[in-house]
Amino acid sequence: MSEHNEQHDPQTGFNNPPVDLLAPVEEQIAELKRAIESIILVAHDPVAPELLAQLLEQPTTLIEQWCEELGASYAERSHGFELVRVAGGFRYQTAPDLMPYVERFLLHDQRARLSGAALETLAIVAYKQPISRAQVGAIRGVDPDGVLRTLAARGYIDEVGRDEGPGQAILFGTTPMFLEKLGVYSLDDLPAIAEFIPSADVVEVLEHGLRVTPHMDVTTNAPTADGHDDAAAGPS
């Protein structure tokens, strides 16, 4: 062997590169493992080892080995999550023994109700889509920006296009999750909006009940027999 620890391969007759040039040093391995963690953490689907190998410019066999080592280290430290290989790739998932706590959290999130303002805005989007933020505000009479962000974060609405007018405002519409939550197949299955509009008789009754009759002062200042006003006359 040479001073660089080259090893002679009797099958090929050539000297193999030194081992310390083939494998990354410990610091590089630690950095690459951290990169693997970061990529898998932000991925929505399992990440294939071939893709990780391409991104990190490392052999696929090393990627698989490092993922296995990461998974083993999590299990050894009893973390609440684990790195598993599913569907041809690697992903993070919660530890199976902690599932009762996770289910409790998910059920709590499902029970969280939307506010009245959010429900009103969601109804406007559902029946008037595609609709812009300004149009929603014009109907509700208040700035709907915060409510729209909440509905988008819940997955009930999403951006569906741009208005062709000046400014090309963002247009919002409902999502498949919205239909799933309501239990309907399509928007055509939504109740007709006319069912929620009161009849003319009901509107008349409501208007009559809300009508305010102005108070009128009927006191008169008719002159008395002695030529003085009643209001000016003192007690007799």
Side-chain angles (χ1 to χ4, degrees):
M1 292 187 295
S2 66
E3 59 180 353
H4 295 292
N5 296 324
E6 293 183 349
Q7 297 180 355
H8 181 74
D9 190 341
Q11 294 182 352
T12 62
F14 297 100
N15 291 333
N16 292 329
V19 176
D20 57 350
L21 294 181
L22 288 176
V25 295
E26 293 298 324
E27 293 80 3
Q28 291 176 322
I29 293 177
E31 180 179 354
L32 291 172
K33 284 184 176 181
R34 293 177 61 230
I36 291 174
E37 291 175 320
S38 300
I39 294 172
I40 297 178
L41 184 64
V42 300
H44 294 286
D45 301 314
V47 185
E50 293 79 10
L51 176 57
L52 290 171
Q54 179 182 354
L55 296 174
L56 303 182
E57 299 180 345
Q58 297 295 324
T60 303
T61 54
L62 279 181
I63 296 296
E64 293 176 336
Q65 175 185 333
W66 293 336
C67 287
E68 296 294 338
E69 292 176 356
L70 286 171
S73 66
Y74 301 147
E76 181 181 355
R77 300 173 186 175
S78 299
H79 282 295
F81 58 89
E82 56 186 11
L83 181 61
V84 297
R85 188 167 189 169
V86 294
F90 291 93
R91 75 173 181 186
Y92 285 111
Q93 66 183 30
T94 55
D97 59 309
L98 300 178
M99 188 57 63
Y101 300 100
V102 178
E103 290 178 348
R104 188 181 306 172
F105 167 76
L106 295 176
L107 290 174
H108 176 272
D109 183 64
Q110 292 178 358
R111 288 194 299 265
R113 295 184 177 181
L114 293 174
S115 65
L119 290 173
E120 180 181 338
T121 303
L122 183 57
I124 293 173
V125 174
Y127 282 98
K128 302 289 290 184
Q129 61 183 306
I131 187 171
S132 68
R133 179 181 290 103
Q135 291 171 326
V136 175
I139 296 174
R140 293 199 61 235
V142 295
D143 184 7
D145 190 59
V147 177
L148 289 174
R149 285 199 301 267
T150 299
L151 294 174
R154 293 284 188 94
Y156 297 143
I157 66 171
D158 200 1
E159 299 178 7
V160 296
R162 292 273 184 173
D163 188 10
E164 298 180 356
Q168 294 186 333
I170 297 174
L171 299 177
F172 293 93
T174 53
T175 64
M177 180 182 292
F178 167 77
L179 299 177
E180 180 182 348
K181 292 294 184 181
L182 287 185
V184 297
Y185 181 75
S186 69
L187 294 174
D188 295 334
D189 297 326
L190 291 176
I193 195 171
E195 298 179 10
F196 304 99
I197 300 177
S199 63
D201 296 338
V202 175
V203 172
E204 183 178 356
V205 171
L206 291 174
E207 289 181 347
H208 179 76
L210 296 175
R211 187 179 297 119
V212 178
T213 303
H215 176 73
M216 299 180 60
D217 186 3
V218 295
T219 303
T220 58
N221 294 328
T224 59
D226 56 3
H228 296 84
D229 292 343
D230 288 339
S236 56

